[in-house]
């Protein structure tokens, strides 16, 4: 079974600064997806970024980028130029790549990191 | 992007009664939907996978007789919490991928259940 670990329960950052959220995972599979989701106070889950394990290039989405280290099973999220609207709980998540298996489509979430952006 | 709705957004029920939560994909078809449970400031825990036209598959430790799931159409899955107790109070979230695109899942806004 896959596990996802986020070791930072809470983080804070000043507006306009950069912050990095950590995530490690454990799997015996070679192909999979990794995600970062954001859950603001409204509790609506929002996809921040997705990384396919077979791609060596780190995914980026505007101010959000990841550092994907497959051998180390590490998947950190960097938020640049932090904004007040980035305040949320952030979840790292894992999904198997293989279609048809019993785990197909299931997301395994980490414990979450509460990020607070201060003005 | 695609939209998933949940109804109701919040519900209060008395202990011993049953409550139904709906999850709808509004502009796409979803043969599979997922139901999660979340406690305050905690992670999402997968409860079950809802499959259109067949029985749901439940995660280990989830009581299938308490949490009844029905996926009667390509756009609707329902979760019924039967004989609810205060410990069932939680935030329930569904997600749905478009057919063949499990890596692209859309989440509903969640339903807050309070059992008194």
């Amino acid at each position: 079974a896959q596990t996802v670990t986020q070791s930072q329960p809470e983080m804070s950052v000043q507006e306009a600064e950069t912050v990095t959220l950590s995530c490690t995972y454990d799997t015996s599979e070679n192909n999979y997806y990794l995600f970062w989701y954001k859950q603001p106070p409204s509790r609506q889950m929002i996809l921040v970024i997705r990384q396919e394990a077979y791609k060596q290039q780190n995914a980026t989405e505007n101010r959000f980028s990841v550092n994907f280290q497959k051998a180390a099973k590490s998947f950190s999220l960097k938020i640049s130029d932090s904004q007040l609207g980035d305040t949320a709980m952030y979840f790292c998540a894992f999904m198997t790549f293989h279609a048809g298996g019993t785990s197909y489509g299931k997301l395994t979430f980490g414990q979450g990191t509460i990020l607070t952006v201060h003005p | 992007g695609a939209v998933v709705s949940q109804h109701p957004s919040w519900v209060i029920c008395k202990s011993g009664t049953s409550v139904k939560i709906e999850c709808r994909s509004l502009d796409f078809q979803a043969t599979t939907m997922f139901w999660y449970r979340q406690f305050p400031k905690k992670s999402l825990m997968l409860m079950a996978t809802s499959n259109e036209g067949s029985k749901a598959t439940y995660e280990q430790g989830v009581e299938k007789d308490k949490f009844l799931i029905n996926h009667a159409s390509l756009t609707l899955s329902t979760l019924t919490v039967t004989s609810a107790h205060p410990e069932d109070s939680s935030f329930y979230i569904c997600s749905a991928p478009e057919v063949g695109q499990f890596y692209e899942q859309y989440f509903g806004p969640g339903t807050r259940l309070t059992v008194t």
Side-chain angles (χ1 to χ4, degrees), chain A residues 28-42:
Chain A
S28 58
E29 299 186 16
N30 190 48
N31 292 319
Y32 45 87
Y33 296 100
L34 293 165
F35 305 84
W36 278 99
Y37 284 93
K38 167 185 177 181
Q39 188 180 42
S42 68

Side-chain angles (χ1 to χ4, degrees), chain A residues 6 8 11 13-14 16-23 35-38 48-51 58-69 74-83 86 90-92 113 115 117:
Chain A
Q6 293 177 249
Q8 304 155 315
M11 295 276 286
V13 64
Q14 291 296 126
E17 294 188 346
T18 295
V19 64
T20 298
L21 308 183
S22 301
C23 173
F35 305 84
W36 278 99
Y37 284 93
K38 167 185 177 181
V48 175
I49 204 163
R50 179 179 69 231
Q51 174 81 43
N58 290 324
T60 62
E61 284 289 340
N62 301 313
R63 299 182 294 107
F64 300 88
S65 62
V66 297
N67 182 4
F68 173 47
Q69 299 292 325
S74 170
F75 184 61
S76 61
L77 174 70
K78 184 172 80 172
I79 305 174
S80 304
D81 186 24
S82 297
Q83 300 176 358
D86 295 333
Y90 286 81
F91 293 99
C92 178
T113 297
L115 175 67
V117 180

Side-chain angles (χ1 to χ4, degrees), chain B residues 16-82:
Chain B
T17 62
S18 296
V19 60
K20 180 185 289 187
I21 301 169
E22 294 184 347
C23 176
R24 291 182 185 272
S25 55
L26 296 185
D27 48 3
F28 66 100
Q29 294 182 337
T31 56
T32 301
M33 294 183 176
F34 300 94
W35 286 96
Y36 297 86
R37 182 174 182 175
Q38 185 184 30
F39 291 106
K41 296 189 178 181
K42 297 295 183 182
S43 188
L44 281 72
M45 299 301 296
L46 179 66
M47 298 174 64
T49 303
S50 175
N51 303 298
E52 188 269 333
S54 65
K55 291 183 178 180
T57 55
Y58 291 82
E59 296 301 300
Q60 193 172 8
V62 176
E63 298 176 63
K64 57 183 67 176
D65 293 332
K66 164 165 276 295
F67 299 100
L68 300 179
I69 291 174
N70 183 30
H71 195 147
S73 77
L74 288 172
T75 60
L76 173 64
S77 174
T78 59
L79 168 67
T80 301
V81 182
T82 63

